[in-house]
């Protein structure tokens, strides 16, 4: 209960700060003065999660405030991003600032193949059942081979993120009628790294990285090294920033100095994606790898590099054990109240 109280206190402070941004900062002309007025809020958001020890509560504070809200407020200082112009209602401003939601755009270039509503409904039922099986299997995790545990962690990470972001999206749509893009688009169907990272995985973060890192970097380097070189540099910069932010999130949860494997994971994927983009520009439509080959190759590469660089830092710091304990305690609590 003390942890929940600290969590509620942190979010009350965050909401007060966002009220200040809405009623005061929005009245300041864009540019350096607006940025200076936002810097105290950015600082407060950075220090708020430090008192939280629960993995889920700390993550549910760090990711929305330290990453999403701060990046969106930096865009807001220049009158760009989802907060500009400010929406007509305060609560809409707060939701757009700190929730991982992305407003639907009319023009969506290179969309992934669409899946029918019936198929999505079937997939949702399967995912719910799969998540239930994973949670139940954690009671017997000590009997499992490490590779099986890794596979469970991969599936769990994806399913929990998709469920949480879907809940945020449903609430935003129901309360305010926001038309939202999907945050995950069946990433296990990805046929390339570009397809995975740009069109299927955690698209709200992808959108923020495009606005704050990719486009400014590409614009700056385009005049120096040309369009193709600037695109590759911008891709690498986006993945580097993403890796550093993931490293920071893990530090908040573990209170341990970073070991940089997670950053290396994202830098490696950025490098491979940059090569992929360059090769596609050379071959264009003259040759394309069959989907039946590219899909398992892509997912195999993502899984292998995750086992190698992403999950070890989580395992070494015992985050997986804390996550499992918290989830199982929640399940046992729900069972006990029925």
């Amino acid at each position: 209960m003390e942890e929940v109280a600290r969590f509620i206190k942190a979010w009350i402070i965050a909401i007060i700060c966002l009220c200040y941004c809405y009623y005061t900062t929005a009245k300041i002309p864009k540019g350096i003065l607006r940025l200076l007025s936002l810097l105290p809020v950015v600082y407060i958001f950075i220090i708020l999660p430090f008192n939280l020890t629960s993995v889920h509560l700390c993550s549910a504070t760090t990711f929305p405030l330290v990453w999403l809200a701060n990046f969106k407020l930096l865009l807001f200082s220049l009158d760009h991003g989802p907060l500009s112009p400010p929406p007509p209602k305060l609560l809409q401003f707060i939701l757009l600032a700190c929730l991982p939601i992305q407003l639907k755009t009319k023009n969506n270039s290179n969309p992934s193949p669409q899946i029918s509503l019936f198929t999505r409904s079937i997939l949702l039922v399967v995912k719910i059942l799969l998540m239930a099986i994973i949670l139940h299997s954690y009671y017997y995790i000590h009997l499992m081979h490490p590779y099986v545990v890794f596979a469970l962690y991969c599936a769990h990470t994806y399913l929990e993120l998709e469920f949480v972001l879907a809940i945020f999206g449903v609430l935003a749509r129901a309360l305010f009628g926001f038309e939202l893009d999907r945050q995950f688009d069946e990433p296990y169907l990805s046929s390339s790294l570009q397809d995975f990272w740009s069109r299927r995985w955690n698209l709200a973060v992808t959108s923020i990285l495009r606005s704050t890192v990719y486009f400014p970097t590409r614009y700056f380097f385009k005049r120096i090294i040309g369009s193709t070189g600037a695109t590759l540099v911008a891709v690498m910069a986006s993945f580097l920033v993403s890796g550093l932010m993931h490293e920071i999130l893990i530090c908040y949860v573990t209170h341990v100095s970073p070991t940089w494997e997670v950053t290396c994971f994202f830098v490696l994927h950025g490098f491979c994606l940059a090569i992929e983009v360059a090769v596609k520009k050379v071959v264009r439509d003259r040759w394309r790898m069959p989907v039946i080959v590219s899909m398992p190759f892509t997912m195999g590469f993502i899984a292998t590099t995750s086992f190698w660089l992403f999950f070890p830092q989580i395992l070494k710091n015992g985050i997986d054990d804390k996550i499992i304990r918290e989830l199982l305690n929640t399940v046992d609590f729900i069972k006990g109240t029925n």
Side-chain angles (χ1 to χ4, degrees):
M1 293 305 297
E2 291 181 3
E3 181 77 358
V4 173
R6 288 194 292 265
F7 175 75
I8 294 173
K9 180 181 178 181
W11 274 99
I12 290 174
I13 295 172
I15 290 171
I16 293 172
C17 289
L18 290 172
C19 291
Y20 158 78
C21 295
Y22 184 77
Y23 288 114
T24 303
T25 303
K27 306 296 189 298
I28 301 174
K30 67 177 181 179
I32 188 66
L33 289 179
R34 184 182 287 189
L35 175 62
L36 290 175
S37 72
L38 289 171
L39 289 181
V41 174
V42 172
Y43 173 74
I44 291 171
F45 284 178
I46 289 173
I47 65 173
L48 275 180
F50 276 124
N51 289 329
L52 299 172
T53 57
S54 163
V55 175
H56 288 89
L57 296 183
C58 184
S59 301
T61 306
T62 305
F63 175 57
L65 297 182
V66 178
W67 190 345
L68 292 182
N70 278 345
F71 275 46
K72 291 177 183 179
L73 289 176
L74 292 177
L75 288 174
F76 182 52
S77 70
L78 302 175
D79 215 13
H80 294 305
L83 301 180
S84 297
K89 296 181 180 180
L90 170 63
L91 193 52
Q92 291 177 332
F93 181 86
I94 294 173
L95 291 176
L96 287 176
C98 57
L99 290 188
I101 56 179
Q102 180 179 315
L103 295 180
K104 188 180 289 293
T105 55
K106 293 181 180 179
N107 297 321
N108 186 12
S109 59
N110 299 321
S112 57
Q114 295 298 306
I115 300 176
S116 67
L117 179 61
F118 175 76
T119 304
R120 290 195 186 280
S121 301
I122 297 298
L123 288 173
L124 177 61
V125 174
V126 172
K127 290 172 186 176
I128 293 173
L129 292 175
L130 182 58
M131 189 64 178
I133 292 172
I134 290 173
L135 291 177
H136 183 72
S137 67
Y138 283 151
Y139 288 104
Y140 311 100
I141 198 169
H142 59 285
L143 303 175
M144 299 179 188
H145 191 279
Y147 288 150
V148 176
V149 175
F150 272 127
L152 289 176
Y153 288 165
C154 283
H156 179 177
T157 300
Y158 160 56
L159 291 172
E160 184 167 346
L161 282 173
E162 179 163 19
F163 289 155
V164 170
L165 296 182
I167 290 171
F168 286 149
V170 168
L171 291 175
R173 188 180 295 111
L175 294 175
F176 297 105
F178 286 161
E179 286 296 323
L180 305 175
D181 281 334
R182 289 172 56 83
Q183 299 311 303
F184 288 90
D185 192 6
E186 316 306 337
Y188 47 83
L189 299 178
S190 301
S191 57
S192 66
L193 288 178
Q194 187 177 22
D195 186 29
F196 180 85
W197 289 112
S198 300
R199 307 184 190 106
R200 294 186 180 275
W201 181 264
N202 208 353
L203 299 179
V205 169
T206 299
S207 177
I208 289 297
L209 287 172
R210 281 198 187 107
S211 301
T212 55
V213 182
Y214 178 83
F215 288 130
T217 303
R218 188 175 182 274
Y219 176 79
F220 177 81
F221 282 97
K222 187 176 181 179
R223 296 171 293 178
I224 303 174
I225 57 178
S227 178
T228 301
T231 298
L232 301 182
V233 172
V235 168
M236 288 299 301
S238 300
F239 275 86
L240 175 60
V241 171
S242 180
L244 292 173
M245 292 308 301
H246 279 84
E247 202 85 51
I248 289 171
L249 296 180
I250 292 175
C251 288
Y252 272 101
V253 172
T254 61
H255 299 283
V256 175
S257 299
T259 53
W260 308 113
E261 288 107 326
V262 172
T263 302
C264 290
F265 169 84
F266 283 95
V267 170
L268 174 63
H269 276 250
F271 178 74
C272 293
L273 177 54
I275 293 176
E276 181 184 293
V277 170
V279 170
K280 284 181 178 178
K281 287 192 174 184
V282 172
V283 301
R284 295 189 182 273
D285 294 328
R286 293 194 297 271
W287 180 83
R288 182 173 297 178
M289 185 181 295
V291 174
I292 195 172
V293 176
S294 62
M295 191 179 296
F297 181 80
T298 299
M299 298 313 299
F301 177 79
I302 293 170
T304 301
T305 52
S306 297
F307 295 163
W308 174 32
L309 293 171
F310 189 86
F311 284 110
Q313 187 170 346
I314 294 175
L315 296 175
K316 282 189 296 186
N317 293 307
I319 300 178
D320 58 321
D321 290 333
K322 291 182 68 176
I323 291 174
I324 292 171
R325 273 202 313 274
E326 289 177 12
L327 287 173
L328 294 182
N329 288 339
T330 303
V331 171
D332 291 339
F333 174 77
I334 294 172
K335 289 179 177 178
T337 58
N338 293 333

